């Protein structure tokens, strides 16, 4: 069976685990356990073929750590997660994005999607649509606004990433 391994990176508390659990298990994770690092295996169909999407949910990746480097080297695709309710978590994504480019070096078209979470918390929102549009064009990456709680656009994220990996 063909396997696609992806890693989910971003600051602590932004909603990485909730996003992955919503996609892989179809439920909302309301508890916050910052230390959880877990791998999820999902069966997916790509062009009629059975494939496995192997998703690594990491615990906090703000800093440049040796562990990040291991994750990045191993993965073929990347889900970079920030919270729409915390503008400063975009900075973490920018750092991670640069780490990926450094580590993957000359490789072109590295499959990456950027995910803003907690879209349902509209009154707490700090990151505007304009900011997202600007960064999407500056970084040349697709952005998704999601809610793991309400199951908004969660599958779109993983479908886009699978599509990018398939095309390489
Ligand atoms: P992680 O550290 O990035 O894995 O963050 P978690 O996935 O554990 O989420 C941190 C907290 O935010 C938890 O209490 C989640 O229930 C909450 N959370 C995550 N995603 C959403 C969302 O889409 N909407 C709302 N309202 N809360 C969320
Ligand atoms: Mg987590």
């Amino acid at each position: 069976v063909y396997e696609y391994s992806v890693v989910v990176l971003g600051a602590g508390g932004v909603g990485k685990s909730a996003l992955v659990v919503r996609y892989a298990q179809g439920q909302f994770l309301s508890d916050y356990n910052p230390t959880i690092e877990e791998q999820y295996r999902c069966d997916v169909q790509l062009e009629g073929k059975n494939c496995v999407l192997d998703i690594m949910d990491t615990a906090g990746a703000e800093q440049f750590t040796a562990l990040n480097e291991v994750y990045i080297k191993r993965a073929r695709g990347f889900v970079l997660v920030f919270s729409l309710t915390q503008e400063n978590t975009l900075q973490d994504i920018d750092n991670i994005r640069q780490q990926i480019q450094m580590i993957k070096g000359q490789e072109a078209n590295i499959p990456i999607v950027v995910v803003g979470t907690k879209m349902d918390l509209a009154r707490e929102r700090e990151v505007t649509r304009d900011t997202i549009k600007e960064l999407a064009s500056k970084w040349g990456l697709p952005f998704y606004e999601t809610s793991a709680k309400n199951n908004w656009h969660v599958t779109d994220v993983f479908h886009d990433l699978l599509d990018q990996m398939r095309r390489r």
Side-chain angles (χ1 to χ4, degrees):
V1 185
Y2 207 83
E3 283 201 30
Y4 293 96
S5 67
V6 306
V7 63
V8 181
L9 296 164
V14 294
K16 297 180 296 298
S17 300
L19 181 82
V20 174
V21 168
R22 167 59 78 189
Y23 176 72
Q25 303 182 338
Q27 46 188 327
F28 178 56
L29 192 68
S30 55
D31 299 331
Y32 176 37
N33 181 338
T35 62
I36 287 184
E37 177 191 290
E38 191 132 29
Q39 202 166 359
Y40 296 82
R41 289 171 64 81
C42 307
D43 297 317
V44 291
Q45 287 266 327
L46 266 186
E47 295 173 320
K49 292 192 205 87
N50 292 323
C51 302
V52 173
L53 180 60
D54 203 323
I55 305 172
M56 184 61 156
D57 176 26
T58 65
E62 298 94 298
Q63 275 89 44
F64 188 98
T65 64
L67 191 60
N68 276 4
E69 194 168 338
V70 172
Y71 288 137
I72 292 170
K73 280 184 174 150
R74 251 189 230 151
R76 296 225 305 162
F78 300 88
V79 182
L80 306 189
V81 185
F82 70 97
S83 173
L84 293 166
T85 66
Q86 265 186 293
E87 184 137 32
N88 63 326
T89 59
L90 274 169
Q91 184 59 55
D92 301 300
I93 294 304
D94 195 13
N95 296 340
I96 296 164
R97 193 183 62 83
Q98 291 179 44
Q99 278 180 43
I100 294 170
Q101 279 181 347
M102 236 162 58
I103 291 167
K104 294 284 184 186
Q106 63 286 69
E107 271 181 58
N109 302 319
I110 302 161
I112 300 177
V113 285
V114 183
V115 180
T117 59
K118 312 192 187 185
M119 192 186 184
D120 58 287
L121 299 178
R123 273 178 303 170
E124 295 170 41
R125 184 169 173 139
E126 287 183 4
V127 180
T128 64
R129 279 272 159 81
D130 284 345
T131 301
I132 288 176
K133 270 191 202 152
E134 198 185 304
L135 286 176
S137 79
K138 186 171 157 198
W139 295 348
L141 296 174
F143 274 61
Y144 287 87
E145 297 183 27
T146 66
S147 166
K149 186 175 182 186
N150 294 356
N151 198 15
W152 291 338
H153 311 303
V154 173
T155 51
D156 298 346
V157 168
F158 293 94
H159 286 171
D160 184 325
L161 194 61
L162 274 164
D163 202 48
Q164 290 185 47
M165 292 191 292
R166 183 180 58 82
R167 286 157 186 273
R168 294 196 77 211

